[in-house]
Amino acid sequence: MSEILELINKGKYSEALKRIKEKIEQKKDDPELYYLMGLVYFKAGKYKRAIDSLSKAIRLKRDEAKYHCLLGYSLYGEGYANGDEKLIRRALKELQLSVEIDKDIPNKEKEYHYYMANILYELEDYEKALKEVNEALKFDNSPEVHKLKGDILFQLKKYNEAIEEYRTNLNDDKNLYAIAYTYFTIGKYDQALEYYDRAIGVNPEDPYHYEGKARTLIFMGKINEAYEAIKKAIDIDPDNPYIKLTEVEVLAEIDERRATKDLTEYLEETEEYREAICEESNERKFKEKTRELIEKILVKFC
Protein backbone atom coordinates (compact mmCIF):
# COMPACT_ATOMS: atom_id res chain seq x y z
CA MET A 1 0.00 0.00 0.00
CA SER A 2 2.83 2.41 0.79
CA GLU A 3 4.19 1.93 -2.73
CA ILE A 4 0.83 2.88 -4.22
CA LEU A 5 0.55 5.93 -1.96
CA GLU A 6 4.00 7.03 -3.07
CA LEU A 7 2.92 6.82 -6.71
CA ILE A 8 -0.19 8.86 -5.94
CA ASN A 9 1.81 11.51 -4.10
CA LYS A 10 4.13 11.79 -7.09
CA GLY A 11 1.16 12.31 -9.41
CA LYS A 12 1.69 9.01 -11.22
CA TYR A 13 -2.01 8.23 -11.29
CA SER A 14 -2.11 5.81 -14.22
CA GLU A 15 0.62 3.65 -12.71
CA ALA A 16 -1.01 3.77 -9.28
CA LEU A 17 -4.37 2.78 -10.74
CA LYS A 18 -2.78 -0.12 -12.59
CA ARG A 19 -1.23 -1.42 -9.34
CA ILE A 20 -4.51 -1.03 -7.47
CA LYS A 21 -6.45 -3.00 -10.08
CA GLU A 22 -3.85 -5.76 -9.99
CA LYS A 23 -4.22 -6.03 -6.23
CA ILE A 24 -8.02 -5.99 -6.41
CA GLU A 25 -7.82 -9.06 -8.68
CA GLN A 26 -6.07 -10.82 -5.80
CA LYS A 27 -8.09 -9.35 -2.96
CA LYS A 28 -11.50 -8.11 -4.08
CA ASP A 29 -12.86 -7.40 -0.60
CA ASP A 30 -10.14 -5.07 0.62
CA PRO A 31 -11.79 -1.67 1.29
CA GLU A 32 -8.42 0.10 1.43
CA LEU A 33 -7.82 -0.67 -2.23
CA TYR A 34 -11.11 0.96 -3.20
CA TYR A 35 -10.23 3.91 -0.99
CA LEU A 36 -6.92 4.30 -2.81
CA MET A 37 -8.72 4.00 -6.13
CA GLY A 38 -11.06 6.76 -5.00
CA LEU A 39 -8.06 8.86 -3.97
CA VAL A 40 -6.52 8.49 -7.43
CA TYR A 41 -9.74 9.49 -9.17
CA PHE A 42 -10.27 12.40 -6.75
CA LYS A 43 -6.81 13.82 -7.34
CA ALA A 44 -7.28 13.39 -11.09
CA GLY A 45 -10.55 15.37 -10.90
CA LYS A 46 -12.67 12.37 -11.88
CA TYR A 47 -15.13 12.88 -9.05
CA LYS A 48 -17.92 10.57 -10.23
CA ARG A 49 -15.51 7.63 -10.42
CA ALA A 50 -14.09 8.61 -7.04
CA ILE A 51 -17.60 8.54 -5.57
CA ASP A 52 -18.23 5.06 -6.99
CA SER A 53 -14.94 3.70 -5.63
CA LEU A 54 -15.35 5.24 -2.19
CA SER A 55 -18.93 4.01 -1.97
CA LYS A 56 -17.59 0.48 -2.49
CA ALA A 57 -14.99 1.01 0.23
CA ILE A 58 -17.71 2.17 2.64
CA ARG A 59 -19.93 -0.81 1.84
CA LEU A 60 -17.04 -3.03 2.87
CA LYS A 61 -16.11 -0.98 5.95
CA ARG A 62 -18.65 1.57 7.14
CA ASP A 63 -16.85 2.90 10.19
CA GLU A 64 -13.68 4.27 8.55
CA ALA A 65 -13.71 8.05 8.95
CA LYS A 66 -11.24 8.82 6.17
CA TYR A 67 -13.44 7.00 3.63
CA HIS A 68 -16.42 9.23 4.47
CA CYS A 69 -14.20 12.31 4.51
CA LEU A 70 -12.81 11.71 1.02
CA LEU A 71 -16.28 10.82 -0.22
CA GLY A 72 -17.40 14.22 1.07
CA TYR A 73 -14.63 15.97 -0.85
CA SER A 74 -15.56 14.07 -4.01
CA LEU A 75 -19.28 14.77 -3.68
CA TYR A 76 -18.47 18.45 -3.29
CA GLY A 77 -16.24 18.36 -6.38
CA GLU A 78 -18.93 16.72 -8.50
CA GLY A 79 -21.69 18.91 -7.06
CA TYR A 80 -19.77 22.12 -7.63
CA ALA A 81 -18.83 21.15 -11.19
CA ASN A 82 -22.46 20.47 -12.08
CA GLY A 83 -24.26 23.00 -9.91
CA ASP A 84 -25.96 20.17 -8.01
CA GLU A 85 -26.95 21.33 -4.53
CA LYS A 86 -28.13 17.84 -3.53
CA LEU A 87 -24.62 16.46 -3.98
CA ILE A 88 -23.17 19.35 -1.97
CA ARG A 89 -25.62 18.61 0.85
CA ARG A 90 -24.58 14.96 0.71
CA ALA A 91 -20.98 16.11 0.94
CA LEU A 92 -21.80 17.99 4.14
CA LYS A 93 -23.39 14.89 5.66
CA GLU A 94 -20.37 12.74 4.81
CA LEU A 95 -17.95 15.19 6.42
CA GLN A 96 -20.15 15.39 9.51
CA LEU A 97 -20.30 11.60 9.65
CA SER A 98 -16.53 11.34 9.41
CA VAL A 99 -16.22 13.49 12.55
CA GLU A 100 -18.85 11.40 14.36
CA ILE A 101 -16.70 8.36 13.69
CA ASP A 102 -13.42 10.06 14.55
CA LYS A 103 -13.48 13.45 16.30
CA ASP A 104 -9.84 14.01 15.36
CA ILE A 105 -10.45 13.74 11.61
CA PRO A 106 -10.21 17.56 11.06
CA ASN A 107 -6.63 17.38 12.37
CA LYS A 108 -5.74 14.22 10.49
CA GLU A 109 -7.19 15.43 7.19
CA LYS A 110 -5.54 18.79 6.45
CA GLU A 111 -8.05 19.71 3.73
CA TYR A 112 -11.10 19.06 5.94
CA HIS A 113 -11.68 22.68 6.99
CA TYR A 114 -11.08 24.00 3.46
CA TYR A 115 -13.67 21.67 1.94
CA MET A 116 -16.11 22.27 4.78
CA ALA A 117 -15.74 26.03 4.23
CA ASN A 118 -16.42 25.58 0.50
CA ILE A 119 -19.48 23.42 1.18
CA LEU A 120 -20.93 25.87 3.70
CA TYR A 121 -20.22 28.75 1.31
CA GLU A 122 -22.14 27.04 -1.49
CA LEU A 123 -25.00 26.37 0.94
CA GLU A 124 -24.95 30.08 1.90
CA ASP A 125 -24.12 29.45 5.56
CA TYR A 126 -21.51 32.19 5.52
CA GLU A 127 -20.88 32.66 9.26
CA LYS A 128 -20.01 28.98 9.70
CA ALA A 129 -18.03 29.05 6.47
CA LEU A 130 -15.92 31.90 7.86
CA LYS A 131 -15.10 29.90 10.98
CA GLU A 132 -14.07 26.93 8.87
CA VAL A 133 -11.89 28.94 6.49
CA ASN A 134 -10.10 30.53 9.45
CA GLU A 135 -9.33 27.01 10.67
CA ALA A 136 -8.20 26.05 7.17
CA LEU A 137 -5.70 28.92 7.16
CA LYS A 138 -3.95 27.37 10.16
CA PHE A 139 -3.06 24.41 7.92
CA ASP A 140 -2.82 26.13 4.56
CA ASN A 141 -1.89 29.79 4.06
CA SER A 142 -2.16 29.59 0.27
CA PRO A 143 -3.73 32.29 -1.95
CA GLU A 144 -6.51 29.83 -2.79
CA VAL A 145 -7.68 29.71 0.82
CA HIS A 146 -7.38 33.50 1.17
CA LYS A 147 -9.49 33.88 -2.00
CA LEU A 148 -12.20 31.70 -0.47
CA LYS A 149 -12.10 33.77 2.72
CA GLY A 150 -12.46 36.90 0.61
CA ASP A 151 -15.53 35.46 -1.13
CA ILE A 152 -17.10 34.60 2.23
CA LEU A 153 -16.39 38.06 3.64
CA PHE A 154 -17.91 39.60 0.51
CA GLN A 155 -21.14 37.71 1.10
CA LEU A 156 -21.11 38.93 4.69
CA LYS A 157 -20.80 42.50 3.30
CA LYS A 158 -17.40 42.94 4.94
CA TYR A 159 -16.07 44.46 1.77
CA ASN A 160 -12.83 46.06 2.94
CA GLU A 161 -11.79 42.84 4.68
CA ALA A 162 -12.64 40.90 1.52
CA ILE A 163 -10.40 43.16 -0.56
CA GLU A 164 -7.50 42.57 1.83
CA GLU A 165 -7.87 38.81 1.35
CA TYR A 166 -7.99 39.18 -2.43
CA ARG A 167 -4.83 41.27 -2.31
CA THR A 168 -2.82 38.24 -1.17
CA ASN A 169 -2.32 37.30 -4.83
CA LEU A 170 -2.40 40.17 -7.31
CA ASN A 171 -0.88 38.00 -10.03
CA ASP A 172 -4.15 36.08 -10.39
CA ASP A 173 -6.75 37.70 -12.62
CA LYS A 174 -9.53 36.09 -10.55
CA ASN A 175 -8.36 38.03 -7.52
CA LEU A 176 -8.05 41.24 -9.54
CA TYR A 177 -11.58 40.69 -10.86
CA ALA A 178 -12.84 40.07 -7.31
CA ILE A 179 -11.29 43.32 -6.10
CA ALA A 180 -12.81 45.19 -9.05
CA TYR A 181 -16.26 43.70 -8.45
CA THR A 182 -16.08 44.55 -4.74
CA TYR A 183 -15.19 48.16 -5.51
CA PHE A 184 -18.04 48.27 -8.04
CA THR A 185 -20.45 46.92 -5.43
CA ILE A 186 -19.60 49.68 -2.96
CA GLY A 187 -19.70 52.39 -5.62
CA LYS A 188 -15.98 53.08 -5.92
CA TYR A 189 -15.98 53.08 -9.71
CA ASP A 190 -12.54 54.55 -10.36
CA GLN A 191 -10.90 51.80 -8.31
CA ALA A 192 -13.16 49.19 -9.91
CA LEU A 193 -12.14 50.30 -13.39
CA GLU A 194 -8.46 50.18 -12.44
CA TYR A 195 -8.70 46.58 -11.31
CA TYR A 196 -10.84 45.43 -14.23
CA ASP A 197 -8.12 46.80 -16.53
CA ARG A 198 -5.48 44.99 -14.49
CA ALA A 199 -7.45 41.74 -14.76
CA ILE A 200 -7.71 42.21 -18.52
CA GLY A 201 -3.96 42.77 -18.67
CA VAL A 202 -3.35 39.41 -16.98
CA ASN A 203 -6.05 37.48 -18.86
CA PRO A 204 -7.50 39.22 -21.92
CA GLU A 205 -9.51 36.13 -22.90
CA ASP A 206 -11.97 36.20 -19.98
CA PRO A 207 -15.21 37.87 -21.16
CA TYR A 208 -16.31 38.72 -17.61
CA HIS A 209 -13.42 41.14 -17.21
CA TYR A 210 -14.79 43.21 -20.11
CA GLU A 211 -18.38 42.73 -18.93
CA GLY A 212 -17.51 44.03 -15.47
CA LYS A 213 -15.63 46.93 -16.99
CA ALA A 214 -18.66 47.79 -19.13
CA ARG A 215 -20.99 47.83 -16.11
CA THR A 216 -18.57 50.11 -14.26
CA LEU A 217 -18.33 52.51 -17.20
CA ILE A 218 -22.13 52.72 -17.35
CA PHE A 219 -22.23 54.02 -13.78
CA MET A 220 -19.41 56.41 -14.60
CA GLY A 221 -21.47 57.82 -17.48
CA LYS A 222 -18.92 56.67 -20.08
CA ILE A 223 -21.40 54.96 -22.36
CA ASN A 224 -19.32 54.83 -25.55
CA GLU A 225 -16.46 53.17 -23.69
CA ALA A 226 -18.94 50.80 -22.05
CA TYR A 227 -20.24 49.84 -25.48
CA GLU A 228 -16.71 49.05 -26.70
CA ALA A 229 -16.02 46.93 -23.63
CA ILE A 230 -19.22 44.88 -23.86
CA LYS A 231 -18.62 44.24 -27.56
CA LYS A 232 -15.29 42.64 -26.65
CA ALA A 233 -17.06 40.39 -24.13
CA ILE A 234 -19.63 39.38 -26.74
CA ASP A 235 -16.91 38.59 -29.28
CA ILE A 236 -15.45 36.08 -26.80
CA ASP A 237 -18.75 34.59 -25.54
CA PRO A 238 -21.67 35.62 -27.79
CA ASP A 239 -24.38 33.44 -26.22
CA ASN A 240 -23.71 34.22 -22.56
CA PRO A 241 -26.95 35.47 -20.91
CA TYR A 242 -25.16 37.57 -18.28
CA ILE A 243 -23.15 39.36 -20.95
CA LYS A 244 -26.32 39.85 -23.01
CA LEU A 245 -27.99 41.48 -20.03
CA THR A 246 -25.09 43.92 -19.70
CA GLU A 247 -25.28 44.70 -23.41
CA VAL A 248 -28.93 45.60 -22.86
CA GLU A 249 -27.86 47.84 -19.96
CA VAL A 250 -25.53 49.71 -22.29
CA LEU A 251 -28.12 49.93 -25.07
CA ALA A 252 -30.67 51.28 -22.58
CA GLU A 253 -28.46 54.34 -22.24
CA ILE A 254 -28.19 54.75 -26.03
CA ASP A 255 -31.46 53.58 -27.57
CA GLU A 256 -34.27 52.26 -25.37
CA ARG A 257 -36.24 50.85 -28.30
CA ARG A 258 -33.27 48.85 -29.51
CA ALA A 259 -32.58 47.62 -25.96
CA THR A 260 -36.18 46.44 -25.62
CA LYS A 261 -36.16 44.77 -29.04
CA ASP A 262 -32.83 43.00 -28.45
CA LEU A 263 -33.72 41.59 -25.03
CA THR A 264 -37.22 40.53 -26.13
CA GLU A 265 -35.88 38.69 -29.18
CA TYR A 266 -33.11 37.07 -27.13
CA LEU A 267 -35.57 35.72 -24.56
CA GLU A 268 -37.95 34.50 -27.27
CA GLU A 269 -35.19 32.70 -29.18
CA THR A 270 -33.16 31.28 -26.27
CA GLU A 271 -35.64 29.80 -23.83
CA GLU A 272 -32.88 27.90 -21.99
CA TYR A 273 -31.41 31.20 -20.73
CA ARG A 274 -34.62 32.76 -19.44
CA GLU A 275 -34.21 31.53 -15.88
CA ALA A 276 -30.64 32.83 -15.70
CA ILE A 277 -31.71 36.25 -16.99
CA CYS A 278 -34.64 36.42 -14.58
CA GLU A 279 -32.56 35.47 -11.54
CA GLU A 280 -29.71 37.79 -12.47
CA SER A 281 -32.01 40.75 -13.05
CA ASN A 282 -33.44 40.38 -9.53
CA GLU A 283 -29.99 40.51 -7.94
CA ARG A 284 -28.14 42.90 -10.23
CA LYS A 285 -27.35 46.54 -9.50
CA PHE A 286 -29.01 48.63 -12.24
CA LYS A 287 -29.61 52.29 -12.82
CA GLU A 288 -33.23 52.98 -11.85
CA LYS A 289 -34.35 53.83 -15.40
CA THR A 290 -32.72 50.67 -16.77
CA ARG A 291 -34.34 48.51 -14.08
CA GLU A 292 -37.78 49.82 -15.02
CA LEU A 293 -37.17 49.05 -18.71
CA ILE A 294 -35.90 45.53 -18.05
CA GLU A 295 -38.68 44.69 -15.58
CA LYS A 296 -41.32 45.65 -18.16
CA ILE A 297 -39.79 43.16 -20.61
CA LEU A 298 -39.29 40.38 -18.08
CA VAL A 299 -42.92 40.41 -16.95
CA LYS A 300 -43.66 38.34 -20.07
CA PHE A 301 -40.96 35.76 -19.43
CA CYS A 302 -40.28 35.42 -15.68
Side-chain angles (χ1 to χ4, degrees):
M1 298 295 184
S2 59
E3 181 186 354
I4 293 171
L5 270 173
E6 187 177 345
L7 289 170
I8 295 172
N9 291 333
K10 289 180 178 178
K12 297 181 178 180
Y13 302 137
S14 296
E15 192 173 343
L17 196 58
K18 181 181 177 182
R19 299 286 179 88
I20 292 166
K21 289 179 178 179
E22 288 172 355
K23 288 187 176 292
I24 286 176
E25 287 298 317
Q26 302 165 8
K27 200 173 182 181
K28 293 183 179 180
D29 295 331
D30 188 340
E32 193 70 10
L33 290 171
Y34 291 104
Y35 166 75
L36 291 172
M37 183 179 284
L39 183 60
V40 170
Y41 285 133
F42 171 75
K43 286 185 174 290
K46 297 178 179 179
Y47 301 119
K48 193 173 187 307
R49 290 187 179 184
I51 291 166
D52 292 341
S53 298
L54 291 162
S55 297
K56 288 179 184 177
I58 290 168
R59 283 198 293 271
L60 292 166
K61 189 176 182 181
R62 293 187 175 277
D63 60 349
E64 184 60 64
K66 70 179 182 180
Y67 297 175
H68 291 279
C69 189
L70 185 57
L71 178 57
Y73 298 168
S74 303
L75 285 164
Y76 166 76
E78 182 70 9
Y80 179 80
N82 293 287
D84 190 331
E85 186 179 321
K86 289 182 180 178
L87 287 179
I88 293 173
R89 291 192 179 280
R90 280 181 59 196
L92 177 62
K93 289 181 180 179
E94 290 297 330
L95 289 190
Q96 291 171 334
L97 181 56
S98 73
V99 176
E100 289 177 18
I101 296 169
D102 182 356
K103 291 181 180 179
D104 199 38
I105 201 72
N107 296 317
K108 292 177 179 177
E109 295 289 334
K110 291 184 178 181
E111 292 184 306
Y112 174 90
H113 292 292
Y114 174 70
Y115 275 96
M116 181 61 89
N118 271 291
I119 289 166
L120 292 168
Y121 175 81
E122 292 299 325
L123 296 177
E124 300 182 4
D125 194 342
Y126 301 121
E127 292 288 356
K128 287 183 181 178
L130 184 59
K131 290 179 182 178
E132 291 294 337
V133 81
N134 282 332
E135 289 299 314
L137 282 165
K138 295 176 183 178
F139 295 92
D140 182 358
N141 196 40
S142 69
E144 184 179 22
V145 184
H146 282 285
K147 171 66 165 59
L148 174 60
K149 184 175 180 180
D151 292 343
I152 295 166
L153 288 166
F154 179 91
Q155 294 297 335
L156 291 169
K157 302 187 187 306
K158 297 179 179 181
Y159 299 121
N160 291 328
E161 292 177 53
I163 288 170
E164 288 308 306
E165 294 299 325
Y166 296 141
R167 286 186 187 278
T168 56
N169 184 10
L170 294 177
N171 294 317
D172 189 332
D173 65 293
K174 292 182 177 62
N175 285 48
L176 295 168
Y177 175 89
I179 293 171
Y181 185 73
T182 306
Y183 277 132
F184 172 79
T185 300
I186 61 179
K188 293 186 176 182
Y189 302 123
D190 288 334
Q191 291 96 323
L193 185 60
E194 175 192 346
Y195 279 92
Y196 279 126
D197 280 334
R198 289 177 67 173
I200 289 167
V202 174
N203 181 8
E205 299 303 317
D206 191 319
Y208 287 109
H209 299 347
Y210 299 101
E211 185 265 346
K213 179 177 179 177
R215 292 183 66 200
T216 302
L217 288 164
I218 291 170
F219 279 84
M220 295 175 78
K222 299 180 179 182
I223 306 306
N224 290 335
E225 291 178 50
Y227 187 77
E228 291 303 314
I230 199 59
K231 282 301 180 186
K232 288 179 181 178
I234 291 168
D235 286 343
I236 296 169
D237 191 356
D239 297 322
N240 189 306
Y242 305 106
I243 292 172
K244 184 64 182 180
L245 191 57
T246 302
E247 182 190 26
V248 171
E249 277 191 76
V250 177
L251 290 174
E253 297 290 324
I254 301 169
D255 184 341
E256 288 188 19
R257 287 186 179 181
R258 183 180 167 193
T260 301
K261 181 175 179 291
D262 277 16
L263 183 56
T264 302
E265 288 180 353
Y266 181 82
L267 290 168
E268 287 174 345
E269 295 170 5
T270 56
E271 186 176 346
E272 68 271 27
Y273 294 137
R274 286 181 189 173
E275 185 177 350
I277 290 280
C278 293
E279 288 181 1
E280 178 67 11
S281 66
N282 285 331
E283 298 175 5
R284 184 175 286 203
K285 175 181 177 180
F286 290 114
K287 283 189 170 183
E288 190 58 36
K289 185 179 177 182
T290 304
R291 178 170 292 284
E292 290 175 5
L293 181 147
I294 288 173
E295 285 179 350
K296 284 180 182 178
I297 299 166
L298 294 182
V299 166
K300 304 174 186 177
F301 300 99
C302 298

